[in-house]
Amino acid sequence: MSDDLQPPTVDRRRFLTVLGTAAGGGAMALSGCSTDRVQKLVPYLVQSEDQVPGVATWYASTCTECPAGCGVHVRTREGRAVKLEGNPDHPVNQGKLCSRGQAALQGLYNPGRIKAPMARAADGGFLEITWDDAIARLAGKLGEAGNRVAVISGAPRGTFSDLLAEWTSAMGGRLVRYESFDHEPVRAANRQVFGLDQLPAHDFGKARYIISFGADFLESWGSPIENQRGFARSHGFSGGDVAKFVYAAPRRDLTGLNADEWVSLKPGSEAALALAMANVLVADRGDDRVGLASALGSFTPAMAAEETGLEVETIERLAREFGAARPSLAVAGGVGSQHAAAAEVCAAVNVLNFVAGNIGETVRFGSALPAADGHTELAKLAQAMDGGELAVVLVHDANPAYTLPKSSGFAARFAKVGFKVSTSMYLDETAALCDLLLPQHHALERWDDVRPRAGVHGLMQPVMEPVFNTLPAGEILLRVSRKAAGALARFAAPTWDQHLKTRWQALAGELGERDAAAFWHAALQRGGVYRDPPPPQEVTLTLPEGRLSYTSPTFEGAGSFTFLTYPHPMLHDGRGANKPWLMENADPVTKITWHSWVEVSPATARTLDLRDGEIVELTSPYGTVEAPVYVYPGIRDDAVAIPLGFGHTAYGTFAQGRGVNALDLLGAPRGDFVPYLSTRVSVRKTGGYRKLASVAGVPRQLGRGIAEGISLAAAKKGLTVEQAYLEEGHGRHEINTALELEAIRGWSEEQQRATEHGDYTRELPQWGMAIDLAKCTGCSACVTACYAENNIPTVGESEVLRGREMTWLRIERYWEDPEEPGAPPSARFIPMLCQHCGNAPCEPVCPVYAAYHTADGLNGQVYNRCVGTRYCANNCPYKVRYFNWYKYNEQAWPEPLHLQLNPDVTVRARGVMEKCTFCIQRIRDTQHHARLEDRPIRDGEFTTACAQACPSDAIVFGNVKDGAGRVARLKQDPRGYHVLEDLNVRPAITYLAKVLLPAEA
Amino acid sequence: MAVRKTARGARRKPGVLASFVHVDAAADAIRALRARGIKGLVVYSAAPNHEIEEALDHRVSPVRLITLIGGLTGCAAGFGMTLWMSYDWPVLVGGKPIGSVPPYVVIAFELTILLGALSTVAAVALFSILMGRRGVPYDPKFSDDTIGVFVPATQDLARQVEQMMHSAGAVEVRYEGA
Amino acid sequence: MAAVAPPRSVGHDGLVITQTHADVTRDVVGTLSPPTRGYVLLLLGAVSLFLIGIVTFLVLVKDGLGHAGYQPPIFWSVYITTFVFWVGIGHAGTLISAILFLFRSPWRTAVYRSTEAMTVFAVMTAGLFPIIHIGRQWIFYWLLPYPNSRFLWPNFKSPLIWDVFAISTYLTVSTTFLVFGLIPDVAAVRDKASGWRKKVYELASVGWRGTDNQWRHYSRAYLYLAALATPLVLSVHSVVSWDFAVSILPGWHGTIFAPYFVAGAIYSGIGMVLTLIIPLRRALRIEHMITAYHFDNLAKLTLLTGSILFYAYGMEYFVAWYSSNIFEQTTFYRRAFGPYWWAGWTMIICNAFVSQLLWFRKIRTNLTSLFVISIFINIGMWFERYVIIVSSLSNDYVPWAWDQLNPTWADWGILAGSFGWFGMWFLLFAKNFPIVAIQEIKEMIPMPRKRGGHH
Amino acid sequence: MRTLAIVLGGVGAGGLAAVLAFASPSPQAQQSQAPADSITAPVISDTGSLKGPRQPIFFRHDIHAGQFKIQCQYCHYSVDVSPEPGIPTMQTCMGCHLVVAGSDSSSRTEIRKLRELWTEMKPVEWIRVHFLPRHAHFPHQRHIKALGPTACATCHGDVSRMPQVFKVNQVDNMGFCITCHVERGVSRDCSVCHY
């Protein structure tokens, strides 16, 4: 890395002259077991300081996939990024990274990227032009436009957004910051009751009781990784206790499936519940600060029961449970529950938190997250477009043509602008409407920074040569300024990089750093500058006019079902849809890939005679969509739901034409946000059918003890799962007599001894894993990590339909039927991967020893030896072996996506079996390092990709023989069990049973 | 007399070739010939026949010994190969011993049968075809419904033999010169 | 040649034989007459089916096995089903030729040649499947223990290697057995043939003349071959059954599998024998050689093996229930009432129930009913393997992985190709080699005696 | 052109040091320092008869590694730290050849080719001699660590006597690896190399 503030040195520019023929490594060659060879050795021109062929170089950077601003480490090999991992130094994500963040790599190498600047041609298509030409065209148009200029940009704040703001205002133009899921209701509520226009930080780890009013904090709400880390701490039985988590919403999303209790209330009635809970607490405590008692007086449990459809007892119980736990935490403002009066819900929750004394404890103000401008501004801008007031509109990091409901008419209004420019990397819906495309660098290709919150300055640096002929957006602005001169002449920085570094020099000064060079160097190494968050801001509750308002939700349309829509956990607002990892990594809730679905409750399905895959037509006043049904026990009978993020009309081959856009059923935003919960729909069975591209088989455990649970009481007593069953009177029936058992054990011991030969007698580590189901939320970040690390091909929808997805690591989601009939089932998540059995059934059946046991306890799979009899897969009781039915290696990574491949892992050819290897390439690499330094491997020195990514830290990997190591200790946990223990296959993975809370406790 | 060669290149044997339709007649003839101490009879028949076998009173075929040797070799090869190959590059699979005899029984069994059968066939090829006598006259009807008896005989003995054949009931008797 | 009236002789066990040796030769050599149009059409049909199989196979090699309907967790499906089906078919021949030879059953003589040929061609067909079904067909030879530059040997603990040895041994031994038995008959044909055909048969008869010395070794050797083939025929399908039984898959790992599979194999094999020889005897005009007597016996054998199967099916369900093993229980419950109920019941009806009809002598001796039953047996036994393989795989330990199979054109293409390949060889054989054992029939017909009466 | 200037500057400084250290071009100096077994690379007139693939530049290992005794690691710089041995960068070549222009006409021709490529900022596209299939991982650093820095010849043959490098051993044949591993009692577990 560069030590100074000089322009980027030649080093960084001179990685590889020809990607694809790296020295020695032949890094690009796609080969499994065939012998296609790299024929040429092409040397570097100049030795790069930070690249050694065959050795990974890591760069620190910042994730830009959502506004949370997590820190990332980018692993590069031979001058190309191959993997993203969390930056352990970063205060937001502390080394963890979600699926969306990891999939940024597929954004970088996306085949749908715009490869060069383009201009609209006469025939309506786009024509490639030079950058000079492109800059000149834009400068020319800006010169003509005067102040009739507007910019629509994404929300993240940083040097670029500052420059953009100054640049726009220099022209007298307007800047609208637009973020589709911008938490505007939360901010509105905070303005209302606390007088603060900001988003607070939430400490889920500290909370002893959590209630979420439809806030999907594990998926899109706030800072998901940070939330999940905290949630795992409070809810994951880490301190010997579990904070109860209640989810109050009409539909259970992934967050809701992790709840101990689901309070299924009428859509849009959350505020009533929150206010009634506050009412009960205030009444119980005789609390009458700021006139609360009177303000809450009318919101009795009875009134709330009427509004929400819950029992009065339930409301009172929830209130008292919430009040009894100190501190507790209530959150609200999820996208899915965003209805016209959503701000009221957030205000009510603010009151509830205030009453319970959580403000300053688990809810802290003062480290504001960046804010977008809200839809009012965008609506005004659209009006201006419509009126022909704007000559030039520049769209940066935003795709309003897709993320706004069609009924808002944005596309038509946008079309009226004389000259539309986009800096998008991809030809998304908005870019497709533009006249000039100025593709910007990907975040991994450019210098940039973001300020996700106070005290955190995340830095981005180019980790590789740009894949295409693109420029950093800042550079585009500066070049245009130079060309256009006039009002823009004051943006005189020679380059964007120079501009950024100047700013950082200034930042060093602001932060009181004297040595700017050292500051810069440290920031580059750590991925930014992290200061402690400012102390929580004191807030006081003020009730506007001493009142709290509650509006009964109203819905447009005459249909009999309330229409719910929600952010897809992988695709977010749709921006993930062009990344095959996110499309194929199933939705953690429904386990459906690649297309949209309509969720209906089992009761509704019975009434309407619907089964999975039958196509229904949903009609709202704003439109009609058709999608196949998914019968989902986590949704109310009076509602149906479709996820957001599908139904792109542009945005590349992976996204385009898949599924439907749920926004088509919604009305235009009124006020500051899109009312995602605002319509009622009628449901009509079309008679069509389409098999769901689901990765789920039978979602019940059928008494097989796969994802085990243990009651909190038993867990606290330190009972094993078996003992807990016995205590409950569910002891298992043992078929063998004690004598037989002894004989079996003796025989298997003898077998084990007979295996000691050659390498197998050596003192080698035995690799093992422990997975804590109490912590696992089913978020599937580990799955994406596994895809990234191990070159797992995405096989596409048609192959998923045939059950051929290659997920070495999959998250199984089982429904657990409740004790009392009629209640909705609860969910259990269990990551299922190769168990690396000691007595692996897959091994002896392989005729060619392609499946065999390594001396260090791994279940090895030698791809190049495999002839593809597939007996191993038949004989695997966990069904974690995956077969290359087709030449997935030639189909899964269309250029330049193949550049993402990890050169340390063989890309498997067709006809070959593959499976989890416990990231053997990492084991071997660490062994090489240790050997070069003549030392043993240290515990925690490395870990598998899944364990590294897990935001809950539920997966721990290591040497089982190392008694002091984390794995060995976790394996001693009484909650530990092996899946299908009775088969005597001796798995190397120990699962720790999920700790269950009774719903009413 | 010129020496004629058969297609196989073997020197043609002189002798009397008699054809019988009746099996007991042929058996009588064979018994009579053997009583006279005539050796080197060749009896043709379309199918094996008890009466003729009894009349000829051959020793039991040595094929069985070869079959036994072949089978035992196969068995030994089976166990030898599997065990040696297992220890030549010991690979642990499924927690089973490296050299695991029970599964190898299958291989040894199959090789026992295979080599046993192949050596049996080889033995027949050796004894019946390769070591069989050459140059003995043959008539195609012997594969149909006629029993043939060939008596090696010089011209002077031939008359006597022909006489015996006729009296035993041969339907056709002829002398085949060298 | 003295005219001797052929005696209306009575052979062993009351089997009436009305022919002389010369008749036998004439009739059997008569089957080798120039082909009729019907034969040519049949042969063309078989070859076209075979070509369909070839094309399917080439596509599989080009693109991968994905074209077939494999749907994890069902990693084996139609190909292995068909493999086991053909191996099973291959069992009747050796049973009839070897085991019944040792038991001195006279009725085998007329049918054993055709069944033995069926065996060889069925095993030849089956032998292709392990190659077709593997993911990388071009390196199938890695399953053989040959010295190589990698110093690697195959894993003899794998049942698939046992299979390699069992199937190749079986193919070798049954081919040997067939060819060995053919030699005297080819010699007989040689002596009736003329022209180039004579030359070919001459070569094929390897100098056989039927001398006493040749018969002496030959008879012994035939006995030993039969003695070796008998345990082999029992072992081969046992080994094939162990392909499944040594796994841990519920529905596969049954200790009953070896006898169950052997009985099933013989059952299916005789079914196929009936399907083949009922039309064949008419086409070749050898009705007087293969008679109701033979069919009655074949049907009794079918009844016996069918009843063993019935017992085995019952036993599987009983053991699943009695074991208290939920995995086993689920598998068998779903076999009858799960998504594969139709296949499960097809198998039970065709095999267990239909075979019971053969208790009736009328049905046993009626060729039409026997032919219909034989078709049921063929279908039932194919489905038996389909059920065992596919339905067991579709629901094993982890419910999350359960799925069902949808066979595709690539599955049916290979299946059709296998029938074409088998049919092609069988038809070619029937027209070029004696389909009835001349020599053994002659052995059973008492030769004319000068003195009359029995020996 | 600006980048070129920077590059050339860097090359000049680094290269000069290297030249002084390793590659004294004067024959007299060479002789006085050379040990008894010193190699003098032969003059080669007929390159067509040499074994091995013909390279775009007739780079002579026998001159560099043999006659001038430049250590392997000078050019193959990452061999002891990385699985990959590293192919010398153009900068490394130019480090010497900015100054060294060649002693005879044939070497001058080849060095001129190198310099031309350098001015055009194009790399030499060497023809690869030793391959491993992608499913076999050969960590060079481990082998150098275990066998010492001069162990290259174990697999690659005595390159210092090869005017043109050719494949001496079947390094892409698993048997070649296994023989050595068995002889030295090192693990031959499959997953040591295949993953």
Side-chain angles (χ1 to χ4, degrees), chain C residues 57 81 132 138 208-209 271 277 288 306 321 332 400:
Chain C
F57 177 67
T81 301
I132 294 170
W138 53 97
W208 184 267
R209 291 179 157 198
I277 64 173
H288 56 289
W321 166 75
F332 281 93
W400 188 259

Side-chain angles (χ1 to χ4, degrees), chain A residues 814-960:
Chain A
Y814 289 108
W815 298 128
E816 282 296 295
D817 289 309
E819 304 268 321
E820 72 269 29
S826 58
R828 296 251 182 99
F829 293 100
I830 178 168
M832 187 54 75
L833 61 159
C834 175
Q835 306 281 310
H836 294 269
C837 310
N839 288 345
C842 55
E843 293 167 359
V845 298
C846 177
V848 292
Y849 286 124
Y852 80 106
H853 217 67
T854 74
D856 47 356
L858 300 174
N859 178 244
Q861 177 68 18
V862 188
Y863 310 124
N864 43 311
R865 180 64 175 163
C866 178
V867 299
T869 68
R870 308 187 296 287
Y871 198 164
C872 52
N874 285 341
N875 214 26
C876 172
Y878 305 95
K879 289 287 173 278
V880 286
R881 291 179 153 264
Y882 301 89
F883 190 70
N884 287 275
W885 301 103
Y886 284 119
K887 294 173 180 171
Y888 298 138
N889 57 343
E890 292 173 14
Q891 298 153 2
W893 300 284
E895 276 193 56
L897 214 48
H898 68 294
L899 296 177
Q900 79 182 26
L901 291 173
N902 183 352
D904 292 337
V905 178
T906 308
V907 176
R908 282 77 57 186
R910 61 87 180 249
V912 169
M913 191 62 73
E914 59 181 74
K915 63 159 197 79
C916 160
T917 60
F918 267 176
C919 289
I920 189 168
Q921 65 280 4
R922 293 184 175 211
I923 298 176
R924 297 290 173 248
D925 186 55
T926 313
Q927 283 170 335
H928 296 335
H929 276 293
R931 184 71 186 82
L932 288 189
E933 292 164 23
D934 288 316
R935 60 168 174 82
I937 294 177
R938 292 182 292 263
D939 186 48
E941 182 177 351
F942 76 106
T943 189
T944 58
C946 52
Q948 199 286 325
C950 181
S952 308
D953 214 9
I955 306 176
V956 176
F957 174 83
N959 178 8
V960 180

Side-chain angles (χ1 to χ4, degrees), chain B residues 17-19 44 136-144 146 148 172 174 176, chain C residues 190-191 209:
Chain B
L17 184 63
S19 305
Y44 296 102
V136 181
Y138 176 74
D139 190 298
K141 65 177 185 281
F142 296 155
S143 69
D144 190 0
T146 307
E172 189 193 334
R174 66 170 190 267
E176 299 270 337
Chain C
R190 169 198 66 197
D191 293 342
R209 291 179 157 198

